[in-house]
Amino acid sequence: VNPEELLFAKTHEWVSVAEEDGSKIATVGISAFAVEALTDLVFIELPKTGRPVTALEPFCEVESVKAVSDIYAPVSGEVIAVNEGLPDDLESLSTDPYGAGWIAKIRIKDPASLEALMDYETYQKQCAEEAE
Amino acid sequence: MTATATLTRTPFFDWHLARGGRMVDFAGWAMPVQYASIVEEHQATRQAVGLFDISHMGRLTISGPEAAKFLDCLLTRRVDDMRPGQIRYSLVTNADGGILDDVLVYCLEKNPTGTDGGPAYPLVVNAGNREKILDWLKDRATEFAARVVDDSANTSMIAVQGPAAVGIADAMTGGAVSSLKYYHGTTAEIDGTEAYVSRTGYTGEDGCEIVCSNAHATAIWESLIAEAEKVGGRACGLGARDTLRLEAAMPLYGHELSENVNAAQAGLRFAVTLGDRDFIGREAFERFAADPHQPMRVGLHIESRRVAREGSAVLSRGKTVGEVTSGTFSPTLDRPIAMAYVEPRTAASGAQLTVDIRGSEVPAVVVPLPFYKRRGNV
């Protein structure tokens, strides 16, 4: 997956959008920048399939040696699939954050909510500012 | 980074930044919480050697003809029978037996300033308690021929910890460290300057702590780093310092220790010597030591990958029986561990409890402390 083709939330989640059966499906994960900032991940609590989620609200959490952090839903909709293997392979969050490290797929309720997300270039600028 | 602009800096501040240290506010000091991975820094200390900037720790010196007599009224550990070179872990308690700080008291041959004669007693205190303890001592020193000096700003402190620590420190001190027994110290020449080296630490590993003048601190640090990196060692931040001390079940002030906690329940009876003297908090300590109803400090293995953090409630059959004071993911044991205070009836090793981790009850088992003990103690 080329991260330059993804959309990003302010809270460091990435989104890849695909059409499926006439609805838009968002595959969601956390960015390489976020994984790098968190470091030492030890646990991820996946959301439950079927759960409704609201954009900008926490929908699962990731735990590092130092602290637990919320992962925010970048779009509103319903969780239709989760990466079941991820809790036993947290390494893939670092080694392949935009591929094997995906977290969940969300059926998007309101495609207009995608407009609140950033493109790669804008997101990179945000990261550069945060790193200062 | 901008948030740390107003904080006090140690002489190693620029070095920390240059090496990617993530600087945080720790008791008013800009300190690195980690350089890259806490786990890798932790493992480097367990397997080779970790170097820690601990210059934020308070360093006070008590001297004068009645220095020992004075400290014997304030410290839970006896001081007047200490010989030069000895170091003791002690508590400073208030009249109610509450812990004001946990400290190391050193006994030096003579006052380094050379004015008072007789042994001088440096105290290493927690950064967050330095001013409180300084005031506590100064207010009470007036009745004694003793004076209290705060050396914290003029000196730096480095911890060298791990199985390779003594070898590295020895090579830089002409063998001064390996000749020291545990909890002993000596002056030694490092990089052409005099420093004080003690066989002490806060990681559960062998090693030493070095106090040196600020002027020579960076040169000593860089020499130590160069030697450490040859054997797989590295600089470590406060994050690894915390996971290391937690595995070793060493209490941390503000977590396991506070003015609301007494030495008996904290499992620190060894840090109290009664004898025939009177110190502030003695009466209260004796009362607590005889009281079987005090909550007790215990270790917990959390039966999940989720980490119980400070403040998590500990339950027994659905009823709250205590609270977690420190919790982390143990890199050595590859599982979450925690320390907690619980009601004594639930404090026995093997007791099956639960911990409320952000709303879900997770099973936890009381285990003996420490969680980690190195092989072949000094």
Side-chain angles (χ1 to χ4, degrees), chain B residues 298-303 313-319 321-322 340-343 345-348 350-356 361-367:
Chain B
V298 297
L300 297 175
H301 275 177
I302 313 296
E303 305 294 329
V314 182
L315 302 94
S316 173
R317 296 193 186 91
K319 283 180 79 177
V321 294
Y341 281 93
V342 299
E343 289 177 12
R345 64 184 174 81
T346 62
Q352 305 276 340
L353 304 173
T354 60
V355 177
D356 181 340
E361 266 189 57
V362 175
V365 182
V366 176
V367 295

Side-chain angles (χ1 to χ4, degrees), chain B residues 11 13 33 50 75 88 137 153 163 184 191 224 227 229 236 241 247 255 305 335 353:
Chain B
F13 178 83
V33 66
L75 297 188
R88 285 179 181 163
L137 295 176
H184 282 71
D191 267 6
L224 285 166
E227 292 307 308
E229 287 179 347
C236 303
R241 186 166 160 83
E247 285 185 349
H255 293 256
R305 296 291 286 184
R335 68 178 312 147
L353 304 173

Side-chain angles (χ1 to χ4, degrees), chain B residues 12-339:
Chain B
F12 313 114
F13 178 83
D14 290 336
W15 192 95
H16 296 320
L17 274 193
R19 292 295 188 100
R22 295 190 197 172
M23 308 306 283
V24 297
D25 176 354
F26 187 87
W29 292 80
M31 300 300 292
V33 66
Q34 66 206 84
Y35 300 89
S37 155
I38 293 174
V39 171
E40 285 171 23
E41 291 167 18
H42 179 110
Q43 305 291 23
T45 306
R46 289 273 180 257
Q47 288 154 19
V49 56
L51 300 179
F52 303 77
D53 175 7
I54 54 169
S55 305
H56 62 300
M57 302 289 288
R59 290 169 293 282
L60 316 177
T61 299
I62 294 82
S63 59
E66 291 188 314
K69 191 179 164 196
F70 167 58
L71 287 173
D72 267 339
C73 295
L74 298 176
L75 297 188
T76 58
R77 207 72 186 276
R78 197 172 159 194
V79 168
D80 79 348
D81 65 344
M82 286 178 77
R83 293 184 304 277
Q86 275 190 307
I87 298 165
R88 285 179 181 163
Y89 175 77
S90 178
L91 304 171
V92 184
T93 54
N94 61 27
D96 299 326
I99 298 171
L100 292 166
D101 201 10
D102 63 334
V103 305
L104 289 189
V105 54
Y106 296 54
C107 178
L108 296 189
E109 192 82 59
K110 61 181 193 318
N111 180 5
T113 57
T115 51
D116 291 338
Y121 299 92
L123 288 189
V124 174
V125 306
N126 282 294
N129 291 333
R130 182 178 57 89
E131 285 177 27
K132 177 176 79 175
I133 294 299
L134 193 57
D135 290 347
W136 183 262
L137 295 176
K138 280 190 167 170
D139 287 351
R140 286 157 186 80
T142 52
E143 297 163 34
F144 297 84
R147 62 189 195 115
V148 182
V149 175
D150 184 355
D151 300 317
S152 310
N154 325 318
T155 54
S156 301
M157 194 165 179
I158 300 166
V160 188
Q161 301 280 296
V166 170
I168 283 172
D170 250 5
M172 287 180 61
T173 57
V177 180
S178 61
S179 64
L180 290 172
K181 283 188 283 188
Y182 195 49
Y183 268 67
H184 282 71
T186 183
T187 51
E189 196 179 297
I190 305 182
D191 267 6
T193 181
E194 191 172 276
Y196 196 83
V197 185
S198 60
R199 201 151 182 184
T200 49
Y202 193 53
T203 60
E205 295 301 328
D206 195 1
C208 68
E209 292 171 314
I210 300 167
V211 178
C212 60
S213 72
N214 287 346
H216 296 93
T218 325
I220 292 173
W221 174 261
E222 286 180 0
S223 302
L224 285 166
I225 290 284
E227 292 307 308
E229 287 179 347
K230 286 181 198 164
V231 297
R234 55 178 20 176
C236 303
L238 295 181
R241 186 166 160 83
D242 191 50
T243 53
L244 290 158
R245 71 91 196 168
L246 225 164
E247 285 185 349
M250 291 168 165
L252 174 60
Y253 200 88
H255 293 256
E256 286 70 42
L257 308 182
S258 76
E259 292 178 30
N260 299 317
V261 167
N262 64 73
Q265 65 181 159
L268 300 177
R269 288 173 197 237
F270 74 90
V272 182
T273 42
L274 295 173
D276 55 356
R277 70 199 175 92
D278 195 20
F279 59 86
I280 297 173
R282 173 181 171 140
E283 221 175 285
F285 170 77
E286 289 184 284
R287 215 168 45 240
F288 286 125
D291 177 358
H293 304 296
Q294 292 288 310
M296 299 296 296
R297 177 162 68 103
V298 297
L300 297 175
H301 275 177
I302 313 296
E303 305 294 329
S304 131
R305 296 291 286 184
R306 309 185 85 187
V307 181
R309 307 282 179 181
E310 181 184 11
S312 296
V314 182
L315 302 94
S316 173
R317 296 193 186 91
K319 283 180 79 177
T320 300
V321 294
E323 192 175 300
V324 169
T325 48
S326 294
T328 194
F329 189 88
S330 161
T332 305
L333 304 177
D334 191 37
R335 68 178 312 147
I337 57 171
M339 289 197 278

Side-chain angles (χ1 to χ4, degrees), chain A residues 90-111:
Chain A
L90 289 174
E91 267 295 289
S92 62
L93 284 169
S94 327
T95 55
D96 190 13
Y98 307 112
W102 71 279
I103 294 169
K105 291 183 194 290
I106 299 170
R107 180 179 289 119
I108 300 173
K109 198 165 77 181
D110 174 17

